[in-house]
Amino acid sequence: MSETTAAEAKDVVGSEDPRAYLWEMLRAGWRFSALYAFVELDLAGWLRDGPLTVAELAERAGLDRSALARLLRTSAGSGLVRTLRDGDAPVRYVLTDVGHTLRGDVERSMRSVVIPQGAPDFLEAMGSLDEAVRNGKSPFAARFGSMYGYLASHPDARHHFDAHMATRSRTIAEATVAAYDFSGIGTIADIGGGVGTVLATVLEATPDARGLLFELEPVIAAAAGFLAPRGLTDRCELVVGDFFKAVPTADAYVLSNIVHNWNDEDALTVLHNVRAAMPDHGRVLLLDILLPEDDRPHLGKELDMRMLALYDGARERTESEYLGLLTQADLRPNRVIELPYALSLIEALPR
Ligand SMILES: C[S@@+](CC[C@H](N)C(=O)[O-])C[C@H]1O[C@@H](n2cnc3c(N)ncnc32)[C@H](O)[C@@H]1O
């Protein structure tokens, strides 16, 4: 190891003892398993209305009292719950602010974010990452085919996927409207827009614009239910379609978390279809994580391991890789705006 690399590695490790760093990584896995059990058993839901003793919670949720006591003790160590002590009375557990985000009935719930990380089919694929590195193929895809095919035949997983994206995308959408001026754009199309979280936020911030949500069939049905209570039904057209075939005409195209799901060839097909449909004054707004070119630890690099295990061909990319794809699709990258949460917005215009 060169001197520079050793020094950088020490920065990353944050410890003089390299073994201690590896123990931290192992513990993160154990903590995650406890978090998954906490969420899968919906302990946050059971604790929603106030503190309970282990016996009360075990009785109500139908769980093993002794094992539950151990899980709660660990969850207190992770900050999901804390103990309330009152003399000799049995300890009661109460949700912390973090624990409350794991309830299924709160805005931006983290429940559906956690569940797909630990659900057996997904976890098995993550556990076979070595396989992916041996043969370059996603172990999940080898077993189930494409992720979106899997989701089409597993409605529960589709529900969690959509809710996960909605939680993540609300944050993305708010950062986007704070950083980008959508005023003056007639129709904004969200291609593969999920249930419409990003588009709804953009339309709410841009009262004169109209929206077009382009998605696969089952998602469009869920999108109708998402947009109606927000009073956006009249301002937003819902279009079922396949972005590998064609997309409708619009003045701006949002592609949020789309390109990273596909290999270069497929990503280029989508971008070419957008380019073919867009008018001369049109623009593409691509939202994705941009990987740093250096060795620093980065959310995108870790997420890329999930892409490798779960999707055939999906990958996180650097800025220059994204700019290269846009250029190949006959688009001219115009500016890159950094957003919070490691995300960026790339604006591209027709060449
Ligand atoms: C990672 S999600 C991103 C959702 C949304 N843009 C967001 O940022 O929250 C990718 C979306 O692409 C949609 N999708 C996948 N294949 C598609 C296709 N061939 N045509 C249209 N949409 C597709 C999926 O249903 C899914 O909602």
Side-chain angles (χ1 to χ4, degrees), residues 32 36 112-119 122-123 126 164 306 310:
F32 172 74
Y36 179 72
S112 288
V113 179
V114 173
I115 285 183
Q117 312 301 319
F122 294 72
L123 202 59
M126 288 306 289
H164 166 187
R306 194 163 165 81
L310 296 181

Side-chain angles (χ1 to χ4, degrees), residues 148 158 165 169 192-194 215-216 241-244 256-258 261:
Y148 293 108
R158 178 83 231 190
M165 287 315 301
S169 303
E215 255 292 352
L216 300 173
D242 177 355
F243 51 44
F244 290 115
S256 164
N257 295 300
I258 298 299
N261 274 167

Side-chain angles (χ1 to χ4, degrees), residues 236-250:
C236 191
E237 192 183 345
L238 302 180
V239 180
V240 173
D242 177 355
F243 51 44
F244 290 115
K245 295 194 172 130
V247 301
T249 293

Side-chain angles (χ1 to χ4, degrees), residues 146 148 151 158 161-162 164-170 172 190-199 213-220 239-247 254-262 270 287-288 307 311:
S146 86
Y148 293 108
L151 295 178
R158 178 83 231 190
F161 181 88
D162 288 339
H164 166 187
M165 287 315 301
T167 292
R168 183 160 177 256
S169 303
R170 238 314 263 292
I172 295 173
D190 196 349
I191 303 299
V195 295
T197 316
V198 174
L199 190 57
L213 185 75
F214 185 82
E215 255 292 352
L216 300 173
E217 177 118 47
V219 189
I220 285 290
V239 180
V240 173
D242 177 355
F243 51 44
F244 290 115
K245 295 194 172 130
V247 301
V254 174
L255 291 165
S256 164
N257 295 300
I258 298 299
V259 176
H260 81 146
N261 274 167
W262 306 101
V270 179
L287 283 155
D288 258 312
M307 295 289 130
Y311 294 78

Side-chain angles (χ1 to χ4, degrees), residues 172 176 180 182 185 187-193 198-199 202 212 214 250-258 274 283-287 345:
I172 295 173
T176 303
Y180 191 86
F182 285 85
I185 304 179
T187 302
I188 301 163
D190 196 349
I191 303 299
V198 174
L199 190 57
V202 171
L212 189 159
F214 185 82
D251 300 302
Y253 291 86
V254 174
L255 291 165
S256 164
N257 295 300
I258 298 299
V274 169
R283 59 185 108 171
V284 172
L285 305 171
L286 191 149
L287 283 155
L345 183 158

Side-chain angles (χ1 to χ4, degrees), residues 69-150:
R70 291 161 69 186
L71 177 62
L72 286 170
R73 181 174 59 191
T74 305
S75 304
S78 300
L80 311 183
V81 290
R82 66 189 164 77
T83 48
L84 297 178
R85 292 173 198 279
D86 184 10
D88 288 338
V91 161
R92 289 179 306 152
Y93 282 96
V94 65
L95 288 176
T96 61
D97 287 349
V98 175
H100 275 290
T101 69
L102 296 168
R103 286 166 42 192
D105 61 343
V106 294
E107 279 272 300
R108 268 182 237 217
S109 167
M110 290 299 286
R111 181 170 159 75
S112 288
V113 179
V114 173
I115 285 183
Q117 312 301 319
D121 290 346
F122 294 72
L123 202 59
E124 189 182 314
M126 288 306 289
S128 307
L129 196 56
D130 57 329
E131 235 0 76
V133 177
R134 275 197 192 92
N135 62 25
K137 293 189 167 48
S138 145
F140 186 89
R143 188 167 162 214
F144 296 111
S146 86
M147 173 61 74
Y148 293 108
Y150 174 89

